[in-house]
Amino acid sequence: MKLKTMLAVASLAVATVVASGCQNTVVYTQAWYDVYGNHCGDGAPSAGCNFYADGVKVIASEDPYYYQSALYYGDYFYTDSYGFGQEYVGYAWLSPTGVLYNEWGNALNEDADKDSRDVISDVAKQEKAVVTKVGKDFAAKYALSEETGVQIAKTLNDWATLSKRLKRARTDQDVADFSKRLYGVGVDKAQGALDSAKKGDFSGIESVNKEVATYWGTSPETSKAILKSWYKNELNELGVK
């Protein structure tokens, strides 16, 4: 198991909460509506069924697969929200949900030249507010300081959106930087602990967990509970209890 994979899992855990608008449930349980306001599905959004109850349309950063998004230039054909065929030429990301997003993150289920949100800066402000709310809720849940909770949420959201913002793939240096920002632990030490755990030696994992706890200003028991909630399947495979 690589640190990049673990960061992706952790970022998805927080990013899906951000995408759900600070609700207690993640985006996979989101109710979706069509352009006419009719309830058309639950779970992940789909082409034409990607509006929230208030009539606002999903954007790329709110898609459950955004953490693996990548833009490709091409000639795309899609069906708009009203059932008409449309063509879009340019950079876009086709999500596994079937929703096509342009390079600005707008879902192309209406005319390609219309924004999903009125102003891009408004979206950025909204995202910041939501990340802050999620961070505070996260802090309250685990009895962390608000500053720590917000920093964790911001770091994970930054990781989830890195490729989109920089328009390039994540690098090993990115992994190292974000590992240090998130856990307060160097990537080499963290990866070494994971490799040792695969061989049955969990002392490194315990040592890293204590460093994470110190960095977050909490107890090893709390940091372990958080990490287990993010990486339950991965750590179970390693035999970590």
Side-chain angles (χ1 to χ4, degrees):
M1 177 174 52
K2 298 295 184 180
L3 258 296
K4 185 179 291 188
T5 301
M6 295 191 72
L7 277 169
V9 172
S11 65
L12 181 60
V14 170
T16 49
V17 176
V18 173
S20 66
C22 294
Q23 299 299 314
N24 292 325
T25 52
V26 297
V27 71
Y28 299 109
T29 58
Q30 173 71 46
W32 297 102
Y33 299 81
D34 63 20
V35 69
Y36 301 107
N38 299 312
H39 178 252
C40 53
D42 297 290
S46 59
C49 187
N50 52 6
F51 290 82
Y52 293 100
D54 60 2
V56 174
K57 190 166 58 176
V58 69
I59 57 175
S61 61
E62 298 168 341
D63 189 290
Y65 294 97
Y66 182 65
Y67 71 101
Q68 64 183 45
S69 64
L71 292 170
Y72 294 98
Y73 188 89
D75 189 357
Y76 297 90
F77 294 89
Y78 64 96
T79 301
D80 68 20
S81 299
Y82 301 93
F84 298 102
Q86 301 285 355
E87 180 180 11
Y88 175 76
V89 178
Y91 286 97
W93 168 51
L94 180 60
S95 167
T97 62
V99 178
L100 180 68
Y101 300 92
N102 67 12
E103 62 181 313
W104 302 108
N106 300 315
L108 297 182
N109 294 109
E110 289 186 5
D111 295 337
D113 61 350
K114 290 185 179 179
D115 289 338
S116 294
R117 302 292 168 88
D118 291 334
V119 182
I120 298 299
S121 62
D122 288 344
V123 177
K125 290 178 183 178
Q126 182 187 48
E127 181 179 15
K128 181 179 179 180
V130 173
V131 169
T132 299
K133 176 65 164 58
V134 169
K136 290 181 178 180
D137 289 348
F138 183 80
K141 179 178 180 179
Y142 291 102
L144 302 172
S145 69
E146 281 193 358
E147 180 181 2
T148 296
V150 171
Q151 180 58 34
I152 289 173
K154 184 179 185 304
T155 300
L156 292 177
N157 189 65
D158 286 348
W159 171 259
T161 59
L162 179 66
S163 293
K164 173 68 176 180
R165 287 185 288 106
L166 300 183
K167 296 184 179 180
R168 63 166 174 77
R170 300 178 181 94
T171 66
D172 289 341
Q173 186 59 52
D174 291 330
V175 176
D177 292 343
F178 275 87
S179 175
K180 192 69 175 180
R181 279 182 57 189
L182 180 59
Y183 306 116
V185 178
V187 66
D188 291 339
K189 183 171 185 178
Q191 189 63 61
L194 291 172
D195 292 340
S196 295
K198 292 178 182 179
K199 301 174 183 178
D201 179 5
F202 302 111
S203 60
I205 288 283
E206 294 300 326
S207 176
V208 166
N209 180 56
K210 290 179 181 179
E211 288 191 40
V212 174
T214 299
Y215 184 67
W216 287 347
T218 189
S219 67
E221 291 75 21
T222 297
S223 59
K224 186 174 184 178
I226 294 172
L227 296 175
K228 285 279 286 184
S229 72
W230 289 347
Y231 310 121
K232 179 179 180 180
N233 294 333
E234 288 78 8
L235 293 177
N236 283 342
E237 289 179 5
L238 293 175
V240 177
K241 299 180 179 179

